Amino acid sequence: MLSRIDHIGIACHDLDATVEFYQRTYGFTDAHFEVNEEQGVRECMLKINTTGDGAASYIQLITPIRDDSTVAKWLEKNGEGVHHIAFGTDGTDVQEEADGIAGKGVRVLYEQPRRGSMDSRITFLHPKDCHGVLTELVQKAE
Amino acid sequence: MLSRIDHIGIACHDLDATVEFYQRTYGFTDAHFEVNEEQGVRECMLKINTTGDGAASYIQLITPIRDDSTVAKWLEKNGEGVHHIAFGTDGTDVQEEADGIAGKGVRVLYEQPRRGSMDSRITFLHPKDCHGVLTELVQKAE
């Protein structure tokens, strides 16, 4: 089952400046940086709180590293802002969750889960099937 | 201090249909409905998970009840999607948090906190000062 808000994905132009803003303004100091070559982004996971399912909720700040990445195109169209939201599984397989949701008529964007932040397994749901919200499903690493 | 993602605010055209989508698709069944006349919205708080600070994280679905509400104008311009994000205090006064943040150069939209969902006290930060994200601060009811 889906048991938490895993993260809110926010696209920005300058990752370091945006991380610094969140740390200085709100005091969210627990930061994990990585590059996801497949997604074409550099990102920072800022841990906000722990969750009742034994995991945590994050703000995920993402910036494109290539002009042809989907986030680069999104930023060009929309400017900085919330790019997607993500729900986490309670340990259940993310593909199982996606299959169950696909069975309810929602398009799943990946045929197979891909690698997300901190070695999670992720997939996305089509925003047009989710009332305008690009929605990610996350199974965190063991 | 700010100790959790309190909620993700999502604007929609048809509240009941959107709540039904979230319940059917993801299994988020814990729903609290209310009308906020001052904000000009009808809304539903869907509880997703508990948080380490003793509170919870929600998806807040909102729909305008008046054509002149700010959410009505936002929907007209943007269509359905994520409208704002909200961080919750760990019990500290929301005005104190807002004052501290204002002191860092971020514009606070309300002079005094207003009533939010479930008798919380809320205020908002200007999205242009927050890298494009309309950001709410929430102090939940005692």
Side-chain angles (χ1 to χ4, degrees), chain A residues 4-5 7-9 82-87 125-136, chain B residues 5-23 26 28 32-34 40-48 57-65 69-72 74-76 78-86 117 124 133-136:
Chain A
R4 71 183 172 281
I5 295 176
H7 65 265
I8 303 169
V82 176
H83 175 264
H84 67 273
I85 69 172
F87 297 118
L125 309 178
H126 200 302
K128 288 198 178 162
D129 295 345
C130 299
H131 290 269
V133 179
L134 177 60
T135 303
E136 181 181 346
Chain B
I5 294 175
D6 187 87
H7 64 267
I8 303 169
I10 296 172
C12 60
H13 291 300
D14 181 334
L15 184 64
D16 295 327
T18 309
V19 170
E20 200 269 339
F21 169 80
Y22 274 81
Q23 294 187 324
Y26 306 120
F28 303 141
H32 168 86
F33 287 86
E34 64 182 274
V41 297
R42 193 163 79 92
E43 60 170 64
C44 178
M45 293 291 273
L46 285 170
K47 185 174 172 179
I48 312 301
S57 293
Y58 300 84
I59 294 292
Q60 180 190 54
L61 301 171
I62 49 181
T63 201
I65 53 171
S69 79
T70 55
V71 173
W74 189 91
L75 266 171
E76 203 169 304
N78 300 284
E80 294 187 316
V82 177
H83 175 264
H84 66 273
I85 69 173
S117 307
F124 281 92
V133 178
L134 177 60
T135 304
E136 181 180 346

Side-chain angles (χ1 to χ4, degrees), chain B residues 22-119:
Chain B
Y22 274 81
Q23 294 187 324
R24 178 173 46 83
T25 307
Y26 306 120
F28 303 141
T29 54
D30 186 345
H32 168 86
F33 287 86
E34 64 182 274
V35 170
N36 188 319
E37 290 286 352
E38 186 184 16
Q39 306 277 349
V41 297
R42 193 163 79 92
E43 60 170 64
C44 178
M45 293 291 273
L46 285 170
K47 185 174 172 179
I48 312 301
N49 57 266
T50 57
T51 52
D53 62 358
S57 293
Y58 300 84
I59 294 292
Q60 180 190 54
L61 301 171
I62 49 181
T63 201
I65 53 171
R66 293 192 301 267
D67 289 345
D68 65 346
S69 79
T70 55
V71 173
K73 291 168 195 165
W74 189 91
L75 266 171
E76 203 169 304
K77 183 179 169 196
N78 300 284
E80 294 187 316
V82 177
H83 175 264
H84 66 273
I85 69 173
F87 297 118
T89 80
D90 59 353
T92 52
D93 186 84
V94 71
Q95 185 64 39
E96 259 179 55
E97 296 291 342
D99 288 345
I101 289 170
K104 294 167 188 164
V106 175
R107 283 169 285 178
V108 176
L109 299 185
Y110 296 162
E111 277 194 30
Q112 295 295 326
R114 298 187 188 175
R115 194 185 71 77
S117 307
M118 301 184 291
D119 289 324

Side-chain angles (χ1 to χ4, degrees), chain A residues 89 92-99 113 121-123 137-139:
Chain A
T89 80
T92 51
D93 186 83
V94 70
Q95 185 65 38
E96 259 178 56
E97 295 291 343
D99 288 345
R121 298 174 70 233
I122 64 170
T123 194
L137 306 179
V138 178
Q139 177 187 2

Side-chain angles (χ1 to χ4, degrees), chain A residues 33-44:
Chain A
F33 287 86
E34 65 180 274
V35 170
N36 189 318
E37 290 287 353
E38 186 183 16
Q39 305 275 349
V41 297
R42 193 162 81 89
E43 60 170 64
C44 178

